[in-house]
Amino acid sequence: MLFGLAAPLAFLSLTAIAFGWEFTLFFTLGASSVVLTIGLAARVWLKKTLPPKQEGTVAFFHPEASGGGGGERVLWVAVQALQKAQPNVKIVVFSASKYSSQQLLESAADRFNISITASIQVVQLAHGDYVSPGRYPRFTLLGQAIGSVRLAYEGLHQLRPELFIDTSGWAFTYPMCRLSGVRVACYVHYPTVSTDMLQRVRQRKSLYNNSNRVADSRPASWVKLLYYYVFAWFYSMAGACANVVMVNSSWTARHIRQLWWKLEEPHRVFPPCLTADLQRLPLDRKLKHLYLVSVAQFRPEKDHPLQLQAYAEARRWAQANPQDRSSEAILASRLKLVGSSRNAGDEAAISDLRRLAAQLGIADTVDFHVNVSFSELRMLLGNAVAGLHTMVDEHFGISVVEYMAAGVVPIAHDSAGPKEDIVQMEAGKGGYNITGYLCSTLEQYSSAIIEALSLDHTSRLKIAAAARRKALEFSDERFCREFLEAVQPILPSL
Ligand SMILES: *[C@@H]1O[C@H](CO)[C@@H](O)[C@H](O)[C@H]1NC(C)=O
Ligand SMILES: *[C@@H]1O[C@H](CO)[C@@H](O)[C@H](O)[C@H]1NC(C)=O
Ligand SMILES: *[C@@H]1O[C@H](CO)[C@@H](O)[C@H](O)[C@H]1NC(C)=O
Ligand SMILES: *[C@@H]1O[C@H](CO)[C@@H](O)[C@H](O)[C@H]1NC(C)=O
Ligand SMILES: *[C@@H]1O[C@H](CO)[C@@H](O)[C@H](O)[C@H]1NC(C)=O
């Protein structure tokens, strides 16, 4: 919120210093009247060119509606929830895929096991490429932003709904919707501009698409910084046009709060994770052969080496303390790394990990389960004691939720998603229950591993049960309830 105000204030102070306050005053008045005139003209033009508003209609704006990612799952679960709660509302999806409504529903059923029974209407957008990043080799953000407005206009031109729900984060479309008299709700997975990004350009780091040439040259860096700031400011204003803002995590909430010029707190609605099946695994396990699991892709940021080191450290401790009653269990345990290998890079990462395990002397107690099916994964989770997660600053951590749903005690990194949203204590009248362990150093990880492997049956069951209850917060039911609560005030009244 601060940013929306601070940026123009800073700009005005600079002009006041450079050109005096009279100039600044006239400039401000002039600029405001230009903006007002443009706004009014746009409103008149939109009302004239767009078809009459269809009362009782809700449109979901999701150009990639036929995709199979988490964003699409959010879309279909939301459509289903809305249909169940308000059967009289007519639902439309603005989609840039070539699929008909029948095909879209079939693909949702295939990919996500979501059956949408009542009919929906699909408004096809012919120019999906307007928002594809490949179309704009330079000024990608700006290009996509303008593209998204053109795309949304294409949709509104075919059908003007009463409520527009954006589920793919195209914030620049909101002012146009509001100007044409359409209410707006949005579900933000990820801010288009983040304060981290601004900082990176400011520090002239060459990361992501801040190419080296720009990072090396000072004036180019300034121009780029200015571009980002101006862009971020417009983004902040556009976002403020939404009537209801939902975000998928505390991390996203923090960024949106910092950036968008909006007084109300965004609604934090966790995305629906598919955990119902894992929730059915028995909690009370006959754990003869204790093992830890780690479910993650074999990518460097997941930091598998830390897991191997911590596990090796725990075993070393057990060897050094044979008299301790938990040592036997630790020495008999195994570590199972589960993940998919999609390319030669992953393959190489796996060989590196095998080599590291050999160096640490734990090669014969570490198993690799590569490319396992869902039913194998389910079985592996169903018999594990604890699950490892070592990625720093992961915005969420679906694997941690899966551990918890499956009754596996999580040992997760003490940052971002796991810390803020997932591995939280269950507090109540009678005190609190922990739902897992949060660690950041090697020592913390190895002592958490020792502790988890030496839990007695009752204590383990208690943590696992609390973890499983916590994981319910990420269920489809919870998503539907909170999504409906958030949009209720602006739904068409029928
Ligand atoms: C699909 O969903 C139905 C009910 O919504 C459920 O009974 C069934 O078990 C699900 N199938 C799978 C494979 O998850
Ligand atoms: C929110 O969405 C972003 C982008 O898709 C994703 O990286 C993050 O994990 C999501 N957070 C949650 C809680 O699902
Ligand atoms: C932009 O980032 C993508 C993915 O990180 C990368 O493939 C592409 O080469 C980058 N482009 C530039 C100009 O750095
Ligand atoms: C895993 O699957 C990928 C393709 O999906 C394949 O290239 C790779 O060889 C497989 N690896 C193993 C160990 O099965
Ligand atoms: C802690 O867990 C126990 C049993 O699993 C449960 O009865 C109790 O209500 C939980 N305490 C809190 C504060 O939720």
Side-chain angles (χ1 to χ4, degrees):
M1 193 194 73
L2 269 180
F3 182 79
L5 192 63
L9 276 184
F11 175 75
L12 289 180
S13 326
L14 281 182
T15 38
I17 291 168
F19 306 108
W21 70 268
E22 294 97 336
F23 174 83
T24 309
L25 184 66
F26 281 117
F27 175 81
T28 313
L29 288 177
S32 320
S33 40
V34 168
V35 169
L36 266 180
T37 316
I38 292 178
L40 282 176
R43 190 181 169 91
V44 169
W45 180 73
L46 283 168
K47 290 247 155 115
K48 215 174 78 193
T49 60
L50 294 181
K53 184 151 79 180
Q54 291 206 10
E55 303 293 335
T57 303
V58 174
F60 284 86
F61 183 65
H62 201 107
E64 288 177 44
S66 62
E72 284 73 45
R73 200 174 135 74
V74 166
L75 166 72
W76 295 114
V77 176
V79 167
Q80 194 182 32
L82 193 56
Q83 240 173 16
K84 275 199 191 129
Q86 296 261 13
N88 295 329
V89 164
K90 183 171 160 209
I91 294 183
V92 178
V93 175
F94 286 180
S95 149
S97 82
K98 299 277 170 286
Y99 285 21
S100 67
S101 62
Q102 195 51 42
Q103 286 166 320
L104 274 183
L105 294 187
E106 274 165 19
S107 104
D110 276 359
R111 291 177 196 251
F112 306 122
N113 191 27
I114 297 175
S115 68
I116 291 167
T117 42
S119 69
I120 59 165
Q121 183 185 341
V122 170
V123 165
Q124 297 212 325
L125 310 174
H127 297 101
D129 59 321
Y130 281 173
V131 291
S132 81
R135 195 184 152 102
Y136 314 98
R138 312 216 137 246
F139 299 105
T140 315
L141 287 178
L142 183 65
Q144 284 183 294
I146 296 173
S148 70
V149 176
R150 293 171 69 186
L151 198 60
Y153 179 75
E154 194 187 330
L156 294 179
H157 197 67
Q158 296 178 61
L159 185 151
R160 177 145 62 115
E162 200 177 332
L163 171 62
F164 177 93
I165 304 185
D166 167 41
T167 43
S168 36
W170 296 113
F172 285 91
T173 59
Y174 312 160
M176 178 177 64
C177 292
R178 291 303 293 280
L179 284 172
S180 47
V182 174
R183 293 192 292 274
V184 176
C186 61
Y187 188 87
V188 187
H189 291 270
Y190 198 83
T192 308
V193 187
S194 68
T195 35
D196 299 356
M197 205 156 124
L198 293 176
Q199 203 169 358
R200 219 158 34 228
V201 188
R202 200 160 56 224
Q203 294 167 348
R204 297 198 286 143
K205 282 201 186 138
S206 65
L207 247 175
Y208 301 114
N209 277 6
N210 191 3
S211 67
N212 268 325
R213 206 159 44 80
V214 172
D216 287 342
S217 111
R218 201 169 265 272
S221 213
W222 283 345
V223 169
K224 180 143 191 174
L225 187 60
L226 186 70
Y227 162 59
Y228 271 113
Y229 267 98
V230 172
F231 186 84
W233 189 75
F234 279 104
Y235 178 61
S236 136
M237 289 297 127
C241 293
N243 299 78
V244 167
V245 180
M246 288 167 278
V247 291
N248 78 348
S249 61
S250 301
W251 185 89
T252 309
R254 197 165 57 243
H255 282 265
I256 291 296
R257 213 181 296 131
Q258 277 170 1
L259 220 52
W260 285 12
W261 173 238
K262 195 134 182 75
L263 292 173
E264 305 113 76
E265 188 69 0
H267 299 262
R268 195 186 58 184
V269 180
F270 292 128
C273 301
L274 255 187
T275 55
D277 191 49
L278 298 176
Q279 292 268 358
R280 283 194 286 271
L281 289 167
L283 269 190
D284 194 359
R285 303 172 181 168
K286 301 279 166 289
L287 295 173
K288 275 205 211 76
H289 305 285
L290 296 188
Y291 66 85
L292 306 162
V293 279
S294 158
V295 182
Q297 284 177 346
F298 294 103
R299 284 192 273 134
E301 68 271 24
K302 301 288 183 186
D303 206 357
H304 285 93
L306 177 58
Q307 302 179 357
L308 293 179
Q309 283 156 357
Y311 181 59
E313 190 60 44
R315 293 187 70 91
R316 218 171 296 135
W317 176 87
Q319 264 153 6
N321 296 280
Q323 75 293 349
D324 196 277
R325 65 175 178 81
S326 42
S327 291
E328 199 184 334
I330 295 168
L331 290 175
S333 72
R334 305 185 72 80
L335 169 61
K336 294 180 186 279
L337 304 182
V338 186
S340 59
S341 159
R342 299 148 308 161
N343 50 43
D346 291 354
E347 216 52 61
I350 295 173
S351 322
D352 286 349
L353 289 174
R354 285 189 198 275
R355 214 168 302 129
L356 178 62
Q359 275 167 18
L360 292 167
I362 50 170
D364 52 351
T365 48
V366 175
D367 304 317
F368 286 82
H369 295 261
V370 180
N371 289 356
V372 299
S373 65
F374 182 73
S375 64
E376 287 169 282
L377 172 65
R378 192 173 176 277
M379 217 169 64
L380 285 167
L381 287 172
N383 290 307
V385 183
L388 297 179
H389 165 273
T390 37
M391 180 171 165
V392 180
D393 279 338
E394 183 158 32
H395 301 164
F396 188 46
I398 182 123
S399 63
V400 182
V401 175
E402 286 174 347
Y403 294 157
M404 291 164 70
V408 175
V409 176
I411 301 178
H413 196 272
D414 192 11
S415 62
K419 174 185 182 178
E420 294 174 42
D421 291 330
I422 311 175
V423 188
Q424 290 185 323
M425 301 222 200
E426 180 185 45
K429 287 183 289 292
Y432 62 86
N433 291 328
I434 64 164
T435 58
Y437 303 95
L438 287 171
C439 312
S440 41
T441 64
L442 177 60
E443 291 71 39
Q444 288 170 342
Y445 271 106
S446 58
S447 38
I449 289 174
I450 293 170
E451 204 173 315
L453 287 174
S454 41
L455 285 173
D456 63 44
H457 185 72
T458 332
S459 326
R460 188 189 67 76
L461 218 55
K462 194 167 163 191
I463 301 179
R468 176 168 277 184
R469 282 192 294 272
K470 178 70 190 170
L472 280 178
E473 290 190 10
F474 305 93
S475 62
D476 286 15
E477 293 74 35
R478 168 104 178 211
F479 170 84
C480 293
R481 194 172 68 236
E482 296 192 341
F483 175 82
L484 290 172
E485 267 170 27
V487 296
Q488 191 61 45
I490 56 168
L491 277 183
S493 50
L494 290 170

